[in-house]
Amino acid sequence: MTGAGFGRGRGHWLDRQGLLRNVVRQELVRRQLAVHLTLPPATVLDVGAGQGTQAIQLARDGYEVVAVEPDPEMRAVCGTALAQEPSSVRARLRVLDGSLETLDAVPGLEGRTFDAVLCHGVLMYVEDPNPALRALGRRVHVDGIVSVVARNAGAMAWRHVQRGDFARATALLDEVERSAWERRDPRYTNELGVECRADSLERLGAFFGGIRCSLEYWYGIRTFSDGVAIDTPVPADPAELAAILDMEERLGRTEPYRRAGTLMHLVGRRGEGRGPVL
């Protein structure tokens, strides 16, 4: 995670990790990412790694992972979770103090590039995604991937429609229309109480082109399960959870349903190109 904004909602975020919506989010990202990753041993940079859910799982899978996280409390949570892992997993994951905005100056990353660069759930907290993506692009090998999870501006109202909160849905639809006229990204207040920014698929796709990454595929995340209450637990029946995850996975890769995802997951692959990435 990055930015002072997220820090205001950190406690709520951590409290909700085992609840349905976050379990769906993390598992879908894991499944979608696995389609594109080079087999281990390969190197992964996770920027804004938060509590380390994806970074630790990748280390378990045999990847050499560097996790960068600016929030000391989130790094501590990650460290506590990592301490419970076997020594072989701990040896494959380094956790560094740094952020997306300061990525070029993070000690221990000087000049390093990786087979995969991840930035999940971070772009909504930065003012401009273009320089952020360029910072990520400077860290990926040729033929490596950049994986980004961002808030989907095209589906901002859908959660509230599902909940029957038509006033809130209307306000968000108005914000999307207004932002288009004003040539800016739409803003919203997330369920951590933090003001954030949403992205359009087309604009982010163009920025991927600017870092010489062809958009290999994009997915929707939480196409139908986002309408539940924040505190909805994981179903007690494992078969019910498995059915939710399998349907979310399928809808998340299928038109037109993936466009209803509250989040969108873009995976770009770096080509040769010419000249440096600026």
Side-chain angles (χ1 to χ4, degrees):
M1 300 296 173
T2 191
F6 174 77
R8 294 193 295 274
R10 180 200 311 109
H12 296 304
W13 169 264
L14 291 172
D15 288 344
R16 297 170 186 168
Q17 286 307 295
L19 300 176
L20 178 62
R21 293 197 321 164
N22 278 295
V23 168
V24 169
R25 174 183 183 267
Q26 296 289 0
E27 176 61 16
L28 286 181
V29 169
R30 187 195 67 77
R31 294 184 186 189
Q32 293 162 355
L33 189 59
V35 174
H36 305 273
L37 280 172
T38 302
L39 292 174
T43 57
V44 178
L45 174 64
D46 188 357
V47 181
Q51 73 284 347
T53 301
Q54 296 296 328
I56 292 173
Q57 183 59 58
L58 288 165
R60 289 177 188 146
D61 293 340
Y63 291 93
E64 299 292 332
V65 184
V66 176
V68 174
E69 169 57 42
D71 189 311
E73 293 192 36
M74 297 297 278
R75 293 198 305 273
V77 172
C78 180
T80 299
L82 185 59
Q84 309 305 311
E85 298 290 328
S87 59
S88 58
V89 174
R90 297 197 303 270
R92 287 193 290 267
L93 174 56
R94 293 178 63 204
V95 181
L96 302 179
D97 179 4
S99 69
L100 176 56
E101 295 90 338
T102 64
L103 196 57
D104 290 335
V106 174
L109 284 185
E110 297 90 346
R112 288 197 63 185
T113 56
F114 297 81
D115 296 304
V117 176
L118 320 182
C119 186
H120 298 158
V122 176
L123 288 190
M124 57 276 288
Y125 296 104
V126 302
E127 285 299 321
D128 187 347
N130 193 15
L133 280 172
R134 289 181 178 273
L136 299 174
R138 287 191 285 271
R139 294 295 176 174
V140 65
H141 295 331
V142 171
D143 204 36
I145 65 167
V146 174
S147 170
V148 169
V149 174
R151 181 67 190 268
N152 180 9
M156 284 176 63
W158 180 231
R159 169 191 296 165
H160 304 284
V161 171
Q162 289 179 289
R163 294 176 180 176
D165 186 351
F166 299 139
R168 180 64 178 147
T170 298
L172 287 171
L173 288 169
D174 290 345
E175 165 63 9
V176 171
E177 291 181 359
R178 185 165 53 249
S179 67
W181 280 105
E182 295 174 358
R183 298 180 179 273
R184 60 172 177 82
D185 296 324
R187 311 290 301 198
Y188 67 101
T189 300
N190 70 13
E191 292 189 312
L192 302 176
V194 180
E195 185 180 351
C196 294
R197 188 188 56 76
D199 285 294
S200 74
L201 172 66
E202 294 76 15
R203 188 163 181 249
L204 274 189
F207 291 155
F208 267 75
I211 61 171
R212 302 200 297 273
C213 281
S214 59
L215 190 57
E216 193 161 271
Y217 206 77
W218 77 272
Y219 305 86
I221 294 177
R222 293 204 306 248
T223 58
F224 70 87
S225 61
D226 207 53
V228 301
I230 300 170
D231 58 355
T232 300
V234 170
D237 182 357
E240 184 180 349
L241 175 60
I244 292 171
L245 292 170
D246 289 347
M247 183 54 66
E248 280 283 5
E249 181 184 11
R250 185 162 186 179
L251 293 178
R253 66 174 187 262
T254 304
E255 288 286 5
Y257 310 105
R258 62 179 177 170
R259 295 182 180 272
T262 297
L263 300 168
M264 53 186 176
H265 182 190
L266 287 74
V267 181
R269 190 166 298 276
R270 172 77 184 276
E272 288 282 357
R274 294 183 180 179
V277 180
L278 300 177

